[in-house]
Amino acid sequence: MIFKIECPVEERYDLVVCGGGPAGFSAAISAARNGVRVALVEQMGYLGGTATVNGVNVFSWGYHDGTRLVTGGMFMEIYNELLSRDALIPHWHYGWEPFDMEAYKLLLDEKVKEAGVDVYLESSVVSVAMEEKRITHIMLNTIKGAIALEAKQFIDATGDGHLAMLAGVPFEIGRESDGAIQPYTMMFFVGGVDFDVIKNYNRRGMWKTEDNRTYVNGNGFREFIEKANADGLDFIPKKTIGSMYNIPWLPGVCGINFGRVFADRTLDPRRLFDDTAIGRKQVQEGVEILKKYIPGFENCYLLETSPKIGRRESRRIKGLYTMTSEDVRVQRQFDDVIAQACYQIDIHNPTDSGSTIVRVPEGSHYDIPFRSLVPCNCDNLLVAGRCISATHEALAAVRVQHICMAMGQAAGTAAAMCVESGIKPSELDVTALKSLLTEQGAILE
């Protein structure tokens, strides 16, 4: 049986952005600042995506190539604003800088309101209406009921390519050899940690800021995990802790990235429940390992798990150009560059406990081309974030927060230009787009 639902057109906009994570809020704010009427649709009760929904409240390195900034614009605006509020501990080009999630949520609330964006919270896209190759309306499931939004342009920043999929854009999932996707991870937070003990291990290091504030961001601890595994604690198929970091304004509180759920590529919500449940079980064993085996954690206790398990990849749309691992490996430059970065290819292996890392040489960067944000088969849609047109390997480099913000800023600015000129994204003058992005603080060369 096929259900048909009729619903009213709630509002008409120039642009609707679906997804309120790093790419989505950056796209919405940028477009609104460029003079168009914007709606932002988010399924959770707050913005931030990876940073707030998945508990990854650290900015990775890769926005600085060791000699200069390579990512600016919206990312540096957010970064500097958090810094001014004492909500971020900076270590510049070394990265892995923790920030206050609650301050981050509040900042995003302020930014979208200042820009004049209409935000639809707790709202999910369920269908689209098309005329030829254009989306005319999207239907949302909201607390109010089913409503429709009409717009001239749309941006998919859902991370999962959900809007693009509904619009009939072709996509791929997983690595080319077998379709397997990178594993999920359930981030969690513990209290009662003695950082004076942990910092002496000096793994990734104890760092000191210019104002003499210290924090720890450590990883590894393989010997402790091996001892725990030998004693029978081996539910987690990962032999190291990905990262642990203290949050200086919360004494004794530590964020932990320690877990690996070999994920289901079908995106079946029932399997997602199973994967999430496994993630929570891994957290319970992870806390037990921390308490029993790693000095400084003897008195730790679980504070919370993230609201949603973290997905590193799902759908990748087919665009006018597909970024490849070769583009990253050779630091390829593109005429239609809309963002640059130097974060590594960082693949958490889909079927075992290992990882594949390909680093970008210091003092170099690679470009992200505008064509990778322009999908096939839809004339008024752009994508930004981890659902852009890229291979499994290339996505593993461009999926981190600061790069997603840069892509979102580019997509939002491009969409505003398309509204103003009445053209398709594929017809956009990319030279003009690059000029406007540069005026807005983006670093493109």
Side-chain angles (χ1 to χ4, degrees):
M1 179 181 293
I2 298 176
F3 293 94
K4 293 185 178 180
I5 301 174
E6 294 185 355
C7 65
V9 176
E10 184 81 3
E11 290 285 351
R12 292 171 173 81
Y13 292 94
D14 294 317
L15 169 68
V16 174
V17 180
C18 295
F25 72 70
S26 298
I29 294 168
S30 297
R33 288 176 176 175
N34 279 283
V36 299
R37 187 164 185 247
V38 182
L40 175 60
V41 179
E42 169 55 43
Q43 63 179 336
M44 299 295 287
Y46 44 86
L47 304 176
T50 297
T52 55
V53 178
N54 304 123
V56 187
N57 61 317
V58 288
F59 289 137
S60 70
W61 61 273
Y63 63 86
H64 195 293
D65 69 4
T67 59
R68 69 179 186 99
L69 280 172
V70 296
T71 305
M74 183 64 66
F75 168 67
M76 287 309 302
E77 179 180 336
I78 296 295
Y79 182 102
N80 287 327
E81 186 66 37
L82 288 171
L83 188 60
S84 72
R85 299 182 184 199
D86 196 29
L88 169 75
I89 301 301
H91 201 55
W92 282 99
H93 63 274
Y94 291 109
W96 309 113
E97 299 150 300
F99 52 82
D100 183 337
M101 285 190 292
E102 295 306 316
Y104 191 87
K105 291 176 187 176
L106 182 61
L107 174 60
L108 297 183
D109 290 346
E110 294 171 358
K111 289 292 184 185
V112 293
K113 288 181 72 67
E114 288 169 3
V117 176
D118 282 354
V119 180
Y120 291 74
L121 285 185
E122 298 186 39
S123 302
S124 301
V125 182
V126 294
S127 67
V128 302
M130 305 281 295
E131 288 183 1
E132 296 182 345
K133 292 185 178 182
R134 294 181 61 84
I135 304 170
T136 60
H137 302 78
I138 62 171
M139 181 188 291
L140 305 181
N141 180 32
T142 76
I143 190 171
K144 183 179 181 179
I147 63 171
L149 301 180
E150 180 181 325
K152 300 172 184 176
Q153 296 285 333
F154 294 83
I155 293 176
D156 186 335
T158 62
D160 297 313
H162 188 68
L163 176 60
M165 179 269 294
L166 291 173
V169 175
F171 61 86
E172 295 179 344
I173 298 179
R175 60 187 178 188
E176 287 69 19
S177 60
D178 58 5
I181 64 174
Q182 290 195 65
Y184 299 162
T185 296
M186 178 68 78
M187 295 287 292
F188 62 100
F189 296 85
V190 296
V193 180
D194 187 342
F195 284 106
D196 287 335
V197 173
I198 295 170
K199 67 187 181 185
N200 292 328
Y201 284 94
N202 198 29
R203 300 299 168 123
R204 187 176 287 147
M206 180 188 74
W207 292 335
K208 186 168 290 188
T209 64
E210 292 180 357
D211 61 357
N212 209 37
R213 181 177 293 182
T214 60
Y215 73 100
V216 171
N217 194 318
N219 69 343
F221 299 89
R222 179 181 294 272
E223 65 271 32
F224 300 108
I225 309 303
E226 289 177 348
K227 179 65 166 63
N229 292 164
D231 291 344
L233 291 173
D234 58 358
F235 182 66
I236 302 173
K238 185 164 171 55
K239 305 308 177 186
T240 60
I241 292 177
S243 66
M244 60 169 66
Y245 51 91
N246 67 320
I247 304 174
W249 43 87
L250 295 177
V253 175
C254 188
I256 306 288
N257 176 347
F258 179 31
R260 176 163 292 191
V261 179
F262 297 127
D264 169 56
R265 70 179 300 277
T266 67
L267 307 185
D268 184 327
R270 295 166 296 181
R271 292 292 301 277
L272 180 57
F273 170 78
D274 294 338
D275 290 341
T276 301
I278 290 171
R280 272 192 274 268
K281 287 183 179 180
Q282 289 185 357
V283 168
Q284 294 293 330
E285 182 171 274
V287 173
E288 187 175 356
I289 290 172
L290 292 170
K291 292 180 69 170
K292 287 186 176 181
Y293 296 92
I294 299 184
F297 285 89
E298 293 89 347
N299 298 312
C300 79
Y301 51 89
L302 179 64
L303 285 172
E304 64 174 330
T305 56
S306 60
K308 289 175 64 176
I309 198 166
R311 287 197 291 276
R312 293 181 173 89
E313 69 171 308
S314 54
R315 299 183 190 92
R316 309 185 312 276
I317 66 102
K318 293 293 290 181
L320 300 185
Y321 180 82
T322 300
M323 278 195 71
T324 68
S325 62
E326 186 71 8
D327 294 335
V328 178
R329 291 171 188 268
V330 303
Q331 299 89 58
R332 184 158 286 135
Q333 315 293 293
F334 294 97
D335 290 339
D336 63 337
V337 52
I338 48 80
Q340 55 182 24
C342 55
Y343 188 70
Q344 64 196 13
I345 294 177
D346 179 10
I347 302 174
H348 296 240
N349 292 349
T351 54
D352 60 49
S353 63
S355 296
T356 301
I357 303 294
V358 180
R359 300 190 186 280
V360 176
E362 183 172 335
S364 63
H365 70 273
Y366 52 88
D367 288 347
I368 298 171
F370 179 65
R371 288 166 294 158
S372 291
L373 278 59
V374 183
C376 300
N377 294 359
C378 192
D379 289 341
N380 64 336
L381 176 66
L382 287 161
V383 298
R386 64 176 175 83
C387 51
I388 70 163
S389 184
T391 63
H392 168 80
E393 294 81 7
L395 177 67
V398 303
R399 60 183 170 82
V400 295
Q401 292 179 54
H402 64 272
I403 303 176
C404 288
M405 288 189 209
M407 289 189 281
Q409 181 175 2
T413 303
M417 294 174 67
C418 289
V419 169
E420 180 69 23
S421 301
I423 59 174
K424 307 172 187 177
S426 60
E427 299 170 340
L428 188 65
D429 180 349
V430 180
T431 300
L433 171 61
K434 291 165 59 176
S435 177
L436 187 53
L437 287 172
T438 301
E439 290 177 15
Q440 297 169 357
I443 301 172
L444 302 181
E445 59 181 31

